[in-house]
């Protein structure tokens, strides 16, 4: 698979804020309409749109995006797929017809990204210190570095804080009804 | 089990330990499932570039979808505590009413809006503070035409020995605002006012916010005559630790100082003066600027403004 030299895809990979703003300006209204016309809220549309961009971002990093239609069509298709996916877990939601033109392996990416979004959502619920500590920890930094950065007294205290923060995070994630649905 | 999984995922096991652990997961479905879960957690939350990208989309999304609602503590907590507290409140109010009898001021509020978790659920990056500008590297416009910089002859940051702290003009009004976006960042605060370059180099900066929320940034430097400053950048950060750790500045500007030679002082040092106006609308909050040499993360000057 090759990366199509579309400026939007390039901008996604580079994290180009200006082009990303253009993407939001140009393509988010259609997604807001798609989701809100099918039983969702504006916040749902926000999540769906972000998930779709992240899915594309991950694919671009791996060099696995091929555009045979426009960027907008691809983004819309992924959003539709995500909304259909969410509909499975909530019978009150209506889902548009799932697009046929999206390749099957997007489904796996979407499933993974839905879980990732859940992880991020619950990380945000932790206090700032926990968020910072876990950011260091998951990035693989040594405990002595984390101890120094966080200003703790010693490694033991650092480990204690880490365990407390991580246990809270894991408990919140696993306690979320959405987790059980995604794990199924 | 958790400790083993963490050691495995962080690469802290020896090759044989790792192989044995992996073999164990093949026989134990519960262990395998937990490993898969933790692996995805590590991969996702340890992926700094991706988290930066997500944070960036969060900030942009506010403008198109509105800021997300404040998220409270896990639903189970609210589900049980909220009605209990409401009942206590109602009971107390009724008790007060009957004891007063003739009073008209019946407390009828049964609002449970105060029941929240220990945080607002907001991302550490404080997206509502972000100015409406891109974070791409920009060339400083200044008032003089830019000149090419011959990097081969430039001293790098590594050439400059660290010195002890000395004064620097980093004035900012004392902030008594308790809002999160105004809270000082402990890491940057320890660097403010410290001289992070050798004694023979002098660098000062000042950031001033106009009422229009336009920022004027000034840099003044003195450099030994025989040397020319290496290319520098100034990065503007919010007060959040997440932005700092993930190295996600709100704006990053290359300071093209060669074109800003102001003259020479009495000791023969070359002086440089540079004004930069950031034509963006900075939302109220506390911000930090960090000057460093290009391609070197180590700060040579840190200041703040709000």
């Amino acid at each position: 698979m090759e990366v199509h030299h579309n400026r939007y895809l390039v901008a996604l990979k580079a994290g180009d804020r200006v082009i990303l703003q253009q993407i939001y300006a140009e393509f988010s209204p259609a997604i807001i309409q798609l989701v809100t016309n099918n039983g969702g809220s504006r916040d749902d549309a926000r999540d769906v749109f972000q998930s779709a961009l992240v899915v594309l971002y991950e694919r671009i990093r791996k060099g696995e995006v091929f555009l045979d239609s426009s960027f907008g069509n691809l983004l819309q298709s992924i959003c539709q797929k995500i909304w259909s996916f969410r509909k499975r877990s909530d019978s009150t939601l209506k889902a548009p017809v799932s697009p046929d033109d999206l390749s099957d392996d997007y489904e796996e990416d979407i499933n993974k990204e839905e879980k990732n979004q859940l992880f991020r959502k619950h990380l945000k619920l932790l206090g700032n210190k926990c968020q910072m500590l876990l950011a260091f920890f998951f990035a693989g930094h040594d405990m002595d570095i984390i101890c120094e950065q966080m200003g703790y007294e010693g490694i033991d205290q650092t480990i204690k804080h880490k365990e407390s923060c991580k246990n809270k995070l894991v408990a919140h994630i696993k306690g979320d009804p959405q987790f059980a649905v995604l794990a199924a | 089990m958790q400790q083993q999984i963490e050691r495995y995922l962080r690469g802290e096991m020896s090759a044989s330990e790792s192989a044995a652990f992996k073999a164990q997961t093949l026989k134990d479905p519960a262990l395998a499932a937990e490993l898969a879960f933790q692996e995805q957690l590590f991969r996702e939350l340890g992926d700094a570039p991706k988290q930066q990208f997500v944070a960036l989309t969060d900030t942009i999304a506010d403008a198109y979808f509105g800021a997300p609602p404040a998220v409270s503590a896990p639903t189970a907590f609210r589900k049980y505590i909220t009605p209990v507290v409401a009942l206590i409140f109602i009971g107390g109010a009724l008790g007060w009413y009957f004891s007063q009898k003739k009073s008209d001021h019946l407390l009828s509020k049964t609002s449970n809006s105060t029941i929240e978790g220990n945080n607002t659920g907001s991302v550490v990056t404080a997206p509502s503070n972000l100015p409406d500008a891109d974070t791409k590297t920009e060339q400083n416009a200044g008032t003089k035409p830019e000149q090419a910089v011959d990097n081969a002859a430039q001293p790098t940051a590594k050439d400059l020995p660290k010195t002890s702290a000395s004064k620097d003009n980093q004035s900012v009004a004392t902030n008594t605002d308790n809002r999160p976006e105004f809270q000082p960042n402990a890491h940057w605060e320890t660097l403010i006012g410290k001289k992070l370059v050798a004694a023979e180099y002098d660098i000062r900066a000042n950031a001033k916010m106009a009422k229009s929320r336009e920022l004027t940034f000034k840099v003044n430097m003195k450099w030994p005559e025989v040397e020319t400053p290496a290319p520098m950048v100034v990065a503007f950060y919010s007060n959040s630790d997440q932005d700092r750790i993930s190295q996600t500045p709100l704006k990053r500007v290359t300071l093209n100082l060669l074109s800003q030679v102001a003259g020479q002082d009495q000791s023969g040092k070359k002086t440089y003066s540079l004004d930069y106006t950031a034509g963006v609308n900075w939302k109220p909050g506390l911000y930090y600027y960090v000057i460093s040499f290009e391609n070197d993360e180590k700060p040579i000057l840190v200041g703040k403004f709000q």
Side-chain angles (χ1 to χ4, degrees):
Chain A
M1 290 222 174
E2 59 190 81
V3 175
H4 192 285
H5 293 294
N6 176 288
R7 68 187 190 106
Y8 290 139
L9 295 178
V10 171
L12 278 181
K13 190 177 179 186
D16 186 324
R17 174 184 272 267
V18 172
I19 308 291
L20 271 168
Q21 284 173 326
Q22 288 175 12
I23 290 173
Y24 269 85
E26 195 170 333
F27 301 115
S28 66
I31 304 308
I32 292 172
Q33 201 172 32
L34 168 82
V35 171
T36 54
N37 285 352
N38 288 282
S41 66
R42 222 174 154 84
D43 287 330
D44 290 327
R46 179 196 175 108
D47 285 349
V48 165
F49 196 79
Q50 183 184 57
S51 283
L53 288 179
V54 173
V55 164
L56 273 176
Y57 168 81
E58 296 261 70
R59 286 211 145 206
I60 290 159
R61 282 208 295 183
K62 291 187 260 185
E64 288 176 2
V65 177
F66 183 71
L67 281 184
D68 51 7
S69 64
S70 70
F71 174 84
N73 284 349
L74 175 61
L75 185 60
Q76 174 112 4
S77 296
I78 298 173
C79 287
Q80 280 180 275
K81 193 99 180 171
I82 292 171
W83 193 236
S84 298
F85 189 89
R86 290 191 183 196
K87 188 255 177 188
R88 285 191 291 180
S89 62
D90 188 339
S91 57
T92 65
L93 298 177
K94 288 191 293 176
V97 172
S98 194
D100 293 329
D101 53 348
L102 204 60
S103 63
D104 290 338
D105 51 354
Y106 270 98
E107 184 143 342
E108 196 186 317
D109 289 353
I110 288 167
N111 186 311
K112 212 190 291 185
E113 183 48 33
E114 290 290 279
K115 280 189 195 148
N116 288 336
Q117 203 177 60
L118 194 72
F119 296 162
R120 293 193 300 265
K121 167 187 153 188
H122 285 286
L123 182 69
K124 287 182 198 178
L125 289 175
L126 300 179
N128 288 353
K129 282 211 144 209
C130 267
Q131 289 187 48
M132 193 159 80
L133 190 159
L134 289 178
F136 278 124
F137 177 72
F138 286 123
H141 290 288
D142 291 337
M143 294 309 277
D144 54 347
I145 304 286
I146 298 174
C147 177
E148 190 192 316
Q149 289 293 321
M150 297 299 299
Y152 294 140
E153 279 178 14
I155 302 283
D156 287 344
Q157 200 190 39
T158 308
I159 292 173
K160 196 173 147 193
H161 283 295
K162 181 272 294 177
E163 278 172 10
S164 165
C165 291
K166 187 172 171 244
N167 288 343
K168 261 188 237 174
L169 174 66
V170 170
H172 291 179
I173 290 170
K174 289 186 173 179
D176 192 315
Q178 183 68 2
F179 177 74
V181 171
L182 291 171
Chain B
M1 173 164 82
Q2 290 299 322
Q3 224 176 9
Q4 266 197 309
I5 291 175
E6 280 182 12
R7 286 189 62 232
Y8 176 77
L9 292 173
R10 282 166 60 87
E12 291 168 3
M13 285 184 170
S14 65
S16 57
E17 263 188 296
S18 184
F21 179 73
K22 199 70 187 147
Q24 206 184 337
T25 64
L26 296 173
K27 297 181 210 166
D28 186 342
L31 179 61
E34 185 61 21
L35 175 63
F37 165 71
Q38 296 273 347
E39 192 165 12
Q40 189 169 357
L41 194 66
F42 268 78
R43 207 165 270 170
E44 171 63 15
L45 300 182
D47 186 343
K50 181 179 175 183
Q51 299 312 313
Q52 281 180 42
F53 178 80
V54 170
L56 181 57
T57 57
D58 268 337
T59 66
I60 296 172
D62 283 348
Y64 296 94
F65 294 90
V71 185
S72 60
T75 330
F77 183 73
R78 292 184 73 192
K79 204 162 57 168
Y80 295 109
I81 296 298
T82 301
V84 168
V85 174
L87 279 170
I88 292 170
F89 192 87
I90 292 168
L94 287 172
W96 177 87
Y97 171 70
F98 284 112
S99 72
Q100 294 297 313
K101 267 208 161 173
K102 48 191 169 182
S103 170
D104 287 336
H105 300 294
L106 174 64
L107 294 172
S108 57
K109 264 179 73 173
T110 55
S111 168
N112 49 27
S113 61
T114 55
I115 309 303
E116 287 184 347
N118 61 353
N119 59 75
T120 62
S122 62
V123 176
V124 174
T125 50
S128 59
N129 276 353
L130 292 178
D132 188 18
D134 61 84
T135 54
K136 278 163 50 177
T137 305
E138 292 179 9
Q139 291 295 318
N140 170 50
T143 54
K144 296 184 184 174
E146 295 170 345
Q147 295 178 7
V149 176
D150 178 6
N151 287 334
Q154 311 311 313
T156 64
K158 292 180 182 58
D159 298 331
L160 301 174
K162 283 186 185 175
T163 62
S164 55
S166 64
K167 270 192 194 172
D168 211 324
N169 53 339
Q170 310 292 335
S171 60
V172 68
T174 304
N175 172 49
T176 56
D177 195 312
N178 287 327
R179 285 177 284 172
E181 55 268 34
F182 284 96
Q183 296 312 301
N185 181 290
H187 176 85
W188 293 133
E189 292 289 332
T190 59
L191 295 174
I192 290 174
K194 283 190 177 171
K195 184 154 181 179
L196 304 170
V197 293
E200 59 265 37
Y201 307 92
D202 191 58
I203 178 166
R204 293 161 194 262
N206 185 269
K208 202 170 172 183
M209 187 79 75
K211 277 187 185 170
S212 60
R213 309 298 303 166
E214 192 174 73
L215 180 75
T216 302
F217 184 71
K218 290 181 192 245
V219 178
N220 286 297
M221 288 173 32
K222 288 185 186 173
W223 229 246
E225 192 188 356
V226 295
E227 292 182 36
T228 308
M232 292 183 193
V233 293
V234 60
F236 296 94
Y237 286 90
S238 73
N239 64 337
S240 85
D241 269 316
Q242 190 156 343
D243 281 357
R244 177 184 67 78
I245 293 164
S246 64
Q247 305 254 315
T248 313
L250 302 172
K251 199 160 185 66
R252 193 180 141 88
V253 179
T254 299
L255 300 173
N256 198 322
L257 287 154
L258 274 195
S259 59
Q260 313 299 328
V261 176
Q264 256 181 326
D265 71 358
Q266 286 169 343
S267 63
K269 284 185 185 170
K270 283 189 286 190
T271 58
Y272 301 84
S273 183
L274 181 150
D275 281 10
Y276 169 70
T277 304
V280 297
N281 186 17
W282 297 80
K283 294 182 185 175
L286 181 62
Y287 300 92
Y288 294 87
Y289 58 85
V290 182
I291 299 178
S292 57
F293 289 105
E294 213 169 39
N295 303 322
D296 188 341
E297 291 171 9
K298 201 164 51 178
I300 59 174
L301 186 71
V302 178
K304 63 183 175 183
F305 61 93
Q306 61 183 46

